[in-house]
PDB file of all heavy atoms in Angstrom:
ATOM      1  N   ASP A1381       0.838  -1.203   0.000  1.00  0.00           N
ATOM      2  CA  ASP A1381       0.000   0.000   0.000  1.00  0.00           C
ATOM      3  C   ASP A1381       0.868   1.247   0.000  1.00  0.00           C
ATOM      4  O   ASP A1381       0.603   2.209   0.706  1.00  0.00           O
ATOM      5  CB  ASP A1381      -0.981   0.006   1.174  1.00  0.00           C
ATOM      6  CG  ASP A1381      -2.136   0.963   0.937  1.00  0.00           C
ATOM      7  OD1 ASP A1381      -2.457   1.247  -0.231  1.00  0.00           O
ATOM      8  OD2 ASP A1381      -2.707   1.443   1.919  1.00  0.00           O
ATOM      9  N   TYR A1382       1.868   1.220  -0.843  1.00  0.00           N
ATOM     10  CA  TYR A1382       2.779   2.358  -0.933  1.00  0.00           C
ATOM     11  C   TYR A1382       2.092   3.622  -1.422  1.00  0.00           C
ATOM     12  O   TYR A1382       2.515   4.723  -1.120  1.00  0.00           O
ATOM     13  CB  TYR A1382       3.972   2.030  -1.849  1.00  0.00           C
ATOM     14  CG  TYR A1382       3.589   1.873  -3.295  1.00  0.00           C
ATOM     15  CD1 TYR A1382       3.625   2.961  -4.159  1.00  0.00           C
ATOM     16  CD2 TYR A1382       3.171   0.655  -3.783  1.00  0.00           C
ATOM     17  CE1 TYR A1382       3.259   2.820  -5.490  1.00  0.00           C
ATOM     18  CE2 TYR A1382       2.810   0.513  -5.110  1.00  0.00           C
ATOM     19  CZ  TYR A1382       2.861   1.593  -5.954  1.00  0.00           C
ATOM     20  OH  TYR A1382       2.494   1.453  -7.257  1.00  0.00           O
ATOM     21  N   ASP A1383       1.013   3.446  -2.192  1.00  0.00           N
ATOM     22  CA  ASP A1383       0.338   4.626  -2.735  1.00  0.00           C
ATOM     23  C   ASP A1383      -0.835   5.071  -1.872  1.00  0.00           C
ATOM     24  O   ASP A1383      -1.563   5.985  -2.225  1.00  0.00           O
ATOM     25  CB  ASP A1383      -0.122   4.378  -4.164  1.00  0.00           C
ATOM     26  CG  ASP A1383      -1.144   3.253  -4.275  1.00  0.00           C
ATOM     27  OD1 ASP A1383      -1.456   2.597  -3.254  1.00  0.00           O
ATOM     28  OD2 ASP A1383      -1.651   3.029  -5.385  1.00  0.00           O
ATOM     29  N   GLN A1384      -1.028   4.407  -0.722  1.00  0.00           N
ATOM     30  CA  GLN A1384      -2.093   4.743   0.234  1.00  0.00           C
ATOM     31  C   GLN A1384      -3.484   4.615  -0.379  1.00  0.00           C
ATOM     32  O   GLN A1384      -4.417   5.275   0.047  1.00  0.00           O
ATOM     33  CB  GLN A1384      -1.892   6.153   0.804  1.00  0.00           C
ATOM     34  CG  GLN A1384      -0.559   6.362   1.500  1.00  0.00           C
ATOM     35  CD  GLN A1384      -0.402   5.463   2.717  1.00  0.00           C
ATOM     36  OE1 GLN A1384      -1.220   5.496   3.611  1.00  0.00           O
ATOM     37  NE2 GLN A1384       0.646   4.663   2.747  1.00  0.00           N
ATOM     38  N   SER A1385      -3.652   3.744  -1.367  1.00  0.00           N
ATOM     39  CA  SER A1385      -4.948   3.581  -2.021  1.00  0.00           C
ATOM     40  C   SER A1385      -5.885   2.680  -1.232  1.00  0.00           C
ATOM     41  O   SER A1385      -7.087   2.704  -1.437  1.00  0.00           O
ATOM     42  CB  SER A1385      -4.758   3.006  -3.425  1.00  0.00           C
ATOM     43  OG  SER A1385      -4.298   1.664  -3.339  1.00  0.00           O
ATOM     44  N   GLY A1386      -5.325   1.853  -0.354  1.00  0.00           N
ATOM     45  CA  GLY A1386      -6.147   0.917   0.399  1.00  0.00           C
ATOM     46  C   GLY A1386      -6.525  -0.319  -0.399  1.00  0.00           C
ATOM     47  O   GLY A1386      -7.262  -1.165   0.082  1.00  0.00           O
ATOM     48  N   GLY A1387      -6.020  -0.437  -1.601  1.00  0.00           N
ATOM     49  CA  GLY A1387      -6.351  -1.573  -2.452  1.00  0.00           C
ATOM     50  C   GLY A1387      -5.441  -2.762  -2.212  1.00  0.00           C
ATOM     51  O   GLY A1387      -4.306  -2.620  -1.790  1.00  0.00           O
ATOM     52  N   VAL A1388      -5.973  -3.941  -2.465  1.00  0.00           N
ATOM     53  CA  VAL A1388      -5.220  -5.187  -2.318  1.00  0.00           C
ATOM     54  C   VAL A1388      -4.910  -5.727  -3.701  1.00  0.00           C
ATOM     55  O   VAL A1388      -5.792  -5.809  -4.547  1.00  0.00           O
ATOM     56  CB  VAL A1388      -6.040  -6.232  -1.529  1.00  0.00           C
ATOM     57  CG1 VAL A1388      -5.350  -7.587  -1.539  1.00  0.00           C
ATOM     58  CG2 VAL A1388      -6.271  -5.759  -0.098  1.00  0.00           C
ATOM     59  N   LEU A1389      -3.664  -6.072  -3.912  1.00  0.00           N
ATOM     60  CA  LEU A1389      -3.250  -6.712  -5.150  1.00  0.00           C
ATOM     61  C   LEU A1389      -2.486  -7.973  -4.785  1.00  0.00           C
ATOM     62  O   LEU A1389      -1.427  -7.897  -4.158  1.00  0.00           O
ATOM     63  CB  LEU A1389      -2.355  -5.779  -5.980  1.00  0.00           C
ATOM     64  CG  LEU A1389      -1.750  -6.422  -7.222  1.00  0.00           C
ATOM     65  CD1 LEU A1389      -2.852  -6.759  -8.241  1.00  0.00           C
ATOM     66  CD2 LEU A1389      -0.721  -5.503  -7.853  1.00  0.00           C
ATOM     67  N   LEU A1390      -3.048  -9.106  -5.144  1.00  0.00           N
ATOM     68  CA  LEU A1390      -2.375 -10.381  -4.911  1.00  0.00           C
ATOM     69  C   LEU A1390      -1.793 -10.856  -6.232  1.00  0.00           C
ATOM     70  O   LEU A1390      -2.483 -10.914  -7.238  1.00  0.00           O
ATOM     71  CB  LEU A1390      -3.359 -11.421  -4.371  1.00  0.00           C
ATOM     72  CG  LEU A1390      -4.004 -11.096  -3.034  1.00  0.00           C
ATOM     73  CD1 LEU A1390      -4.990 -12.191  -2.654  1.00  0.00           C
ATOM     74  CD2 LEU A1390      -2.970 -10.898  -1.949  1.00  0.00           C
ATOM     75  N   SER A1391      -0.518 -11.193  -6.196  1.00  0.00           N
ATOM     76  CA  SER A1391       0.150 -11.661  -7.404  1.00  0.00           C
ATOM     77  C   SER A1391       0.421 -13.163  -7.293  1.00  0.00           C
ATOM     78  O   SER A1391       0.000 -13.821  -6.336  1.00  0.00           O
ATOM     79  CB  SER A1391       1.470 -10.899  -7.589  1.00  0.00           C
ATOM     80  OG  SER A1391       2.404 -11.320  -6.612  1.00  0.00           O
ATOM     81  N   GLU A1392       1.156 -13.668  -8.255  1.00  0.00           N
ATOM     82  CA  GLU A1392       1.545 -15.085  -8.230  1.00  0.00           C
ATOM     83  C   GLU A1392       2.369 -15.421  -6.998  1.00  0.00           C
ATOM     84  O   GLU A1392       2.433 -16.572  -6.578  1.00  0.00           O
ATOM     85  CB  GLU A1392       2.324 -15.435  -9.509  1.00  0.00           C
ATOM     86  CG  GLU A1392       3.775 -15.003  -9.534  1.00  0.00           C
ATOM     87  CD  GLU A1392       4.014 -13.504  -9.713  1.00  0.00           C
ATOM     88  OE1 GLU A1392       3.080 -12.748 -10.031  1.00  0.00           O
ATOM     89  OE2 GLU A1392       5.171 -13.085  -9.525  1.00  0.00           O
ATOM     90  N   LYS A1393       2.981 -14.411  -6.395  1.00  0.00           N
ATOM     91  CA  LYS A1393       3.800 -14.642  -5.199  1.00  0.00           C
ATOM     92  C   LYS A1393       2.974 -15.245  -4.074  1.00  0.00           C
ATOM     93  O   LYS A1393       3.461 -16.088  -3.318  1.00  0.00           O
ATOM     94  CB  LYS A1393       4.437 -13.331  -4.741  1.00  0.00           C
ATOM     95  CG  LYS A1393       5.389 -12.737  -5.737  1.00  0.00           C
ATOM     96  CD  LYS A1393       5.787 -11.345  -5.310  1.00  0.00           C
ATOM     97  CE  LYS A1393       6.424 -10.605  -6.459  1.00  0.00           C
ATOM     98  NZ  LYS A1393       6.461  -9.187  -6.243  1.00  0.00           N
ATOM     99  N   THR A1394       1.735 -14.797  -3.935  1.00  0.00           N
ATOM    100  CA  THR A1394       0.854 -15.308  -2.883  1.00  0.00           C
ATOM    101  C   THR A1394       0.447 -16.744  -3.157  1.00  0.00           C
ATOM    102  O   THR A1394       0.307 -17.544  -2.230  1.00  0.00           O
ATOM    103  CB  THR A1394      -0.396 -14.418  -2.760  1.00  0.00           C
ATOM    104  OG1 THR A1394       0.011 -13.149  -2.228  1.00  0.00           O
ATOM    105  CG2 THR A1394      -1.435 -15.020  -1.842  1.00  0.00           C
ATOM    106  N   PHE A1395       0.268 -17.091  -4.418  1.00  0.00           N
ATOM    107  CA  PHE A1395      -0.241 -18.416  -4.747  1.00  0.00           C
ATOM    108  C   PHE A1395       0.861 -19.485  -4.806  1.00  0.00           C
ATOM    109  O   PHE A1395       0.564 -20.672  -4.797  1.00  0.00           O
ATOM    110  CB  PHE A1395      -1.041 -18.353  -6.048  1.00  0.00           C
ATOM    111  CG  PHE A1395      -2.278 -17.504  -5.873  1.00  0.00           C
ATOM    112  CD1 PHE A1395      -2.269 -16.175  -6.247  1.00  0.00           C
ATOM    113  CD2 PHE A1395      -3.409 -18.026  -5.273  1.00  0.00           C
ATOM    114  CE1 PHE A1395      -3.385 -15.377  -6.055  1.00  0.00           C
ATOM    115  CE2 PHE A1395      -4.527 -17.236  -5.068  1.00  0.00           C
ATOM    116  CZ  PHE A1395      -4.519 -15.906  -5.461  1.00  0.00           C
ATOM    117  N   LYS A1396       2.109 -19.057  -4.815  1.00  0.00           N
ATOM    118  CA  LYS A1396       3.220 -20.019  -4.848  1.00  0.00           C
ATOM    119  C   LYS A1396       3.245 -20.903  -3.595  1.00  0.00           C
ATOM    120  O   LYS A1396       3.324 -22.128  -3.715  1.00  0.00           O
ATOM    121  CB  LYS A1396       4.541 -19.271  -5.028  1.00  0.00           C
ATOM    122  CG  LYS A1396       5.719 -20.189  -5.274  1.00  0.00           C
ATOM    123  CD  LYS A1396       6.969 -19.392  -5.587  1.00  0.00           C
ATOM    124  CE  LYS A1396       8.151 -20.299  -5.857  1.00  0.00           C
ATOM    125  NZ  LYS A1396       9.367 -19.541  -6.166  1.00  0.00           N
ATOM    126  N   PRO A1397       3.167 -20.351  -2.364  1.00  0.00           N
ATOM    127  CA  PRO A1397       3.152 -21.247  -1.205  1.00  0.00           C
ATOM    128  C   PRO A1397       1.875 -22.089  -1.130  1.00  0.00           C
ATOM    129  O   PRO A1397       1.907 -23.203  -0.593  1.00  0.00           O
ATOM    130  CB  PRO A1397       3.273 -20.300  -0.011  1.00  0.00           C
ATOM    131  CG  PRO A1397       2.852 -18.965  -0.502  1.00  0.00           C
ATOM    132  CD  PRO A1397       3.202 -18.942  -1.961  1.00  0.00           C
ATOM    133  N   ILE A1398       0.777 -21.577  -1.654  1.00  0.00           N
ATOM    134  CA  ILE A1398      -0.453 -22.372  -1.675  1.00  0.00           C
ATOM    135  C   ILE A1398      -0.237 -23.598  -2.553  1.00  0.00           C
ATOM    136  O   ILE A1398      -0.524 -24.729  -2.144  1.00  0.00           O
ATOM    137  CB  ILE A1398      -1.643 -21.522  -2.170  1.00  0.00           C
ATOM    138  CG1 ILE A1398      -1.993 -20.453  -1.116  1.00  0.00           C
ATOM    139  CG2 ILE A1398      -2.849 -22.396  -2.489  1.00  0.00           C
ATOM    140  CD1 ILE A1398      -3.005 -19.429  -1.566  1.00  0.00           C
ATOM    141  N   LYS A1399       0.288 -23.376  -3.736  1.00  0.00           N
ATOM    142  CA  LYS A1399       0.532 -24.478  -4.665  1.00  0.00           C
ATOM    143  C   LYS A1399       1.520 -25.496  -4.087  1.00  0.00           C
ATOM    144  O   LYS A1399       1.365 -26.695  -4.261  1.00  0.00           O
ATOM    145  CB  LYS A1399       1.073 -23.936  -5.990  1.00  0.00           C
ATOM    146  CG  LYS A1399       1.371 -25.019  -7.000  1.00  0.00           C
ATOM    147  CD  LYS A1399       1.944 -24.460  -8.272  1.00  0.00           C
ATOM    148  CE  LYS A1399       2.275 -25.583  -9.233  1.00  0.00           C
ATOM    149  NZ  LYS A1399       3.032 -25.121 -10.383  1.00  0.00           N
ATOM    150  N   HIS A1400       2.539 -25.006  -3.386  1.00  0.00           N
ATOM    151  CA  HIS A1400       3.602 -25.884  -2.901  1.00  0.00           C
ATOM    152  C   HIS A1400       3.408 -26.360  -1.461  1.00  0.00           C
ATOM    153  O   HIS A1400       4.316 -26.964  -0.883  1.00  0.00           O
ATOM    154  CB  HIS A1400       4.957 -25.185  -3.051  1.00  0.00           C
ATOM    155  CG  HIS A1400       5.340 -24.987  -4.477  1.00  0.00           C
ATOM    156  ND1 HIS A1400       5.763 -26.011  -5.290  1.00  0.00           N
ATOM    157  CD2 HIS A1400       5.309 -23.883  -5.262  1.00  0.00           C
ATOM    158  CE1 HIS A1400       5.998 -25.552  -6.502  1.00  0.00           C
ATOM    159  NE2 HIS A1400       5.729 -24.269  -6.516  1.00  0.00           N
ATOM    160  N   GLY A1401       2.233 -26.100  -0.880  1.00  0.00           N
ATOM    161  CA  GLY A1401       1.900 -26.683   0.413  1.00  0.00           C
ATOM    162  C   GLY A1401       2.627 -26.068   1.593  1.00  0.00           C
ATOM    163  O   GLY A1401       3.208 -26.794   2.393  1.00  0.00           O
ATOM    164  N   GLN A1402       2.560 -24.769   1.716  1.00  0.00           N
ATOM    165  CA  GLN A1402       3.201 -24.091   2.845  1.00  0.00           C
ATOM    166  C   GLN A1402       2.215 -23.148   3.530  1.00  0.00           C
ATOM    167  O   GLN A1402       1.306 -22.614   2.911  1.00  0.00           O
ATOM    168  CB  GLN A1402       4.387 -23.254   2.359  1.00  0.00           C
ATOM    169  CG  GLN A1402       5.501 -24.062   1.767  1.00  0.00           C
ATOM    170  CD  GLN A1402       6.561 -23.166   1.166  1.00  0.00           C
ATOM    171  OE1 GLN A1402       6.269 -22.121   0.619  1.00  0.00           O
ATOM    172  NE2 GLN A1402       7.800 -23.610   1.258  1.00  0.00           N
ATOM    173  N   MET A1403       2.439 -22.955   4.820  1.00  0.00           N
ATOM    174  CA  MET A1403       1.770 -21.867   5.522  1.00  0.00           C
ATOM    175  C   MET A1403       2.396 -20.583   4.997  1.00  0.00           C
ATOM    176  O   MET A1403       3.470 -20.604   4.404  1.00  0.00           O
ATOM    177  CB  MET A1403       2.022 -21.942   7.035  1.00  0.00           C
ATOM    178  CG  MET A1403       1.504 -23.180   7.710  1.00  0.00           C
ATOM    179  SD  MET A1403       1.877 -23.175   9.491  1.00  0.00           S
ATOM    180  CE  MET A1403       3.657 -23.130   9.501  1.00  0.00           C
ATOM    181  N   PHE A1404       1.745 -19.443   5.262  1.00  0.00           N
ATOM    182  CA  PHE A1404       2.301 -18.199   4.752  1.00  0.00           C
ATOM    183  C   PHE A1404       1.829 -16.997   5.553  1.00  0.00           C
ATOM    184  O   PHE A1404       0.783 -17.020   6.197  1.00  0.00           O
ATOM    185  CB  PHE A1404       1.922 -17.999   3.283  1.00  0.00           C
ATOM    186  CG  PHE A1404       0.440 -18.127   3.019  1.00  0.00           C
ATOM    187  CD1 PHE A1404      -0.414 -17.049   3.201  1.00  0.00           C
ATOM    188  CD2 PHE A1404      -0.084 -19.329   2.586  1.00  0.00           C
ATOM    189  CE1 PHE A1404      -1.773 -17.177   2.963  1.00  0.00           C
ATOM    190  CE2 PHE A1404      -1.434 -19.464   2.352  1.00  0.00           C
ATOM    191  CZ  PHE A1404      -2.284 -18.384   2.537  1.00  0.00           C
ATOM    192  N   PHE A1405       2.654 -15.978   5.522  1.00  0.00           N
ATOM    193  CA  PHE A1405       2.314 -14.633   5.967  1.00  0.00           C
ATOM    194  C   PHE A1405       2.419 -13.761   4.719  1.00  0.00           C
ATOM    195  O   PHE A1405       3.313 -13.964   3.899  1.00  0.00           O
ATOM    196  CB  PHE A1405       3.307 -14.108   7.011  1.00  0.00           C
ATOM    197  CG  PHE A1405       3.212 -14.782   8.342  1.00  0.00           C
ATOM    198  CD1 PHE A1405       4.050 -15.849   8.662  1.00  0.00           C
ATOM    199  CD2 PHE A1405       2.303 -14.349   9.293  1.00  0.00           C
ATOM    200  CE1 PHE A1405       3.983 -16.460   9.884  1.00  0.00           C
ATOM    201  CE2 PHE A1405       2.234 -14.954  10.531  1.00  0.00           C
ATOM    202  CZ  PHE A1405       3.067 -16.013  10.832  1.00  0.00           C
ATOM    203  N   ILE A1406       1.527 -12.798   4.580  1.00  0.00           N
ATOM    204  CA  ILE A1406       1.585 -11.919   3.419  1.00  0.00           C
ATOM    205  C   ILE A1406       2.009 -10.523   3.853  1.00  0.00           C
ATOM    206  O   ILE A1406       1.348  -9.887   4.672  1.00  0.00           O
ATOM    207  CB  ILE A1406       0.230 -11.839   2.688  1.00  0.00           C
ATOM    208  CG1 ILE A1406      -0.150 -13.215   2.161  1.00  0.00           C
ATOM    209  CG2 ILE A1406       0.302 -10.827   1.544  1.00  0.00           C
ATOM    210  CD1 ILE A1406      -1.479 -13.246   1.440  1.00  0.00           C
ATOM    211  N   VAL A1407       3.128 -10.089   3.321  1.00  0.00           N
ATOM    212  CA  VAL A1407       3.590  -8.721   3.505  1.00  0.00           C
ATOM    213  C   VAL A1407       2.965  -7.941   2.358  1.00  0.00           C
ATOM    214  O   VAL A1407       3.506  -7.864   1.264  1.00  0.00           O
ATOM    215  CB  VAL A1407       5.133  -8.627   3.466  1.00  0.00           C
ATOM    216  CG1 VAL A1407       5.581  -7.197   3.730  1.00  0.00           C
ATOM    217  CG2 VAL A1407       5.761  -9.595   4.458  1.00  0.00           C
ATOM    218  N   GLY A1408       1.784  -7.407   2.619  1.00  0.00           N
ATOM    219  CA  GLY A1408       1.035  -6.722   1.576  1.00  0.00           C
ATOM    220  C   GLY A1408       0.051  -5.745   2.183  1.00  0.00           C
ATOM    221  O   GLY A1408       0.116  -5.428   3.378  1.00  0.00           O
ATOM    222  N   ALA A1409      -0.862  -5.300   1.389  1.00  0.00           N
ATOM    223  CA  ALA A1409      -1.861  -4.327   1.828  1.00  0.00           C
ATOM    224  C   ALA A1409      -2.797  -4.938   2.864  1.00  0.00           C
ATOM    225  O   ALA A1409      -3.006  -6.155   2.886  1.00  0.00           O
ATOM    226  CB  ALA A1409      -2.662  -3.832   0.631  1.00  0.00           C
ATOM    227  N   ALA A1410      -3.349  -4.088   3.725  1.00  0.00           N
ATOM    228  CA  ALA A1410      -4.330  -4.540   4.706  1.00  0.00           C
ATOM    229  C   ALA A1410      -5.497  -5.185   3.973  1.00  0.00           C
ATOM    230  O   ALA A1410      -5.965  -4.683   2.958  1.00  0.00           O
ATOM    231  CB  ALA A1410      -4.811  -3.362   5.549  1.00  0.00           C
ATOM    232  N   GLY A1411      -5.939  -6.323   4.473  1.00  0.00           N
ATOM    233  CA  GLY A1411      -7.051  -7.028   3.858  1.00  0.00           C
ATOM    234  C   GLY A1411      -6.641  -8.099   2.868  1.00  0.00           C
ATOM    235  O   GLY A1411      -7.501  -8.748   2.277  1.00  0.00           O
ATOM    236  N   SER A1412      -5.354  -8.312   2.693  1.00  0.00           N
ATOM    237  CA  SER A1412      -4.883  -9.323   1.743  1.00  0.00           C
ATOM    238  C   SER A1412      -5.393 -10.717   2.107  1.00  0.00           C
ATOM    239  O   SER A1412      -5.850 -11.467   1.236  1.00  0.00           O
ATOM    240  CB  SER A1412      -3.356  -9.336   1.673  1.00  0.00           C
ATOM    241  OG  SER A1412      -2.862  -8.134   1.148  1.00  0.00           O
ATOM    242  N   LEU A1413      -5.324 -11.059   3.388  1.00  0.00           N
ATOM    243  CA  LEU A1413      -5.793 -12.378   3.809  1.00  0.00           C
ATOM    244  C   LEU A1413      -7.305 -12.505   3.628  1.00  0.00           C
ATOM    245  O   LEU A1413      -7.799 -13.579   3.274  1.00  0.00           O
ATOM    246  CB  LEU A1413      -5.408 -12.657   5.261  1.00  0.00           C
ATOM    247  CG  LEU A1413      -3.910 -12.820   5.523  1.00  0.00           C
ATOM    248  CD1 LEU A1413      -3.649 -13.008   7.014  1.00  0.00           C
ATOM    249  CD2 LEU A1413      -3.329 -13.979   4.726  1.00  0.00           C
TER     250      LEU A1413
END
């Protein structure tokens, strides 16, 4: 949220641990989870 828009953008980075069977924390905008 560098631009203070309040928007969430999930990229392939978020889905990589899902695909590979890992727990995860997301360093991203509020509301990502």
Side-chain angles (χ1 to χ4, degrees):
D1381 199 25
Y1382 68 91
D1383 62 356
Q1384 302 297 303
S1385 68
V1388 172
L1389 174 67
L1390 298 178
S1391 71
E1392 79 287 349
K1393 297 171 195 163
T1394 291
F1395 295 96
K1396 188 174 181 180
I1398 291 171
K1399 179 182 178 190
H1400 293 286
Q1402 296 173 325
M1403 298 179 299
F1404 52 84
F1405 289 95
I1406 298 179
V1407 183
S1412 295
L1413 292 177

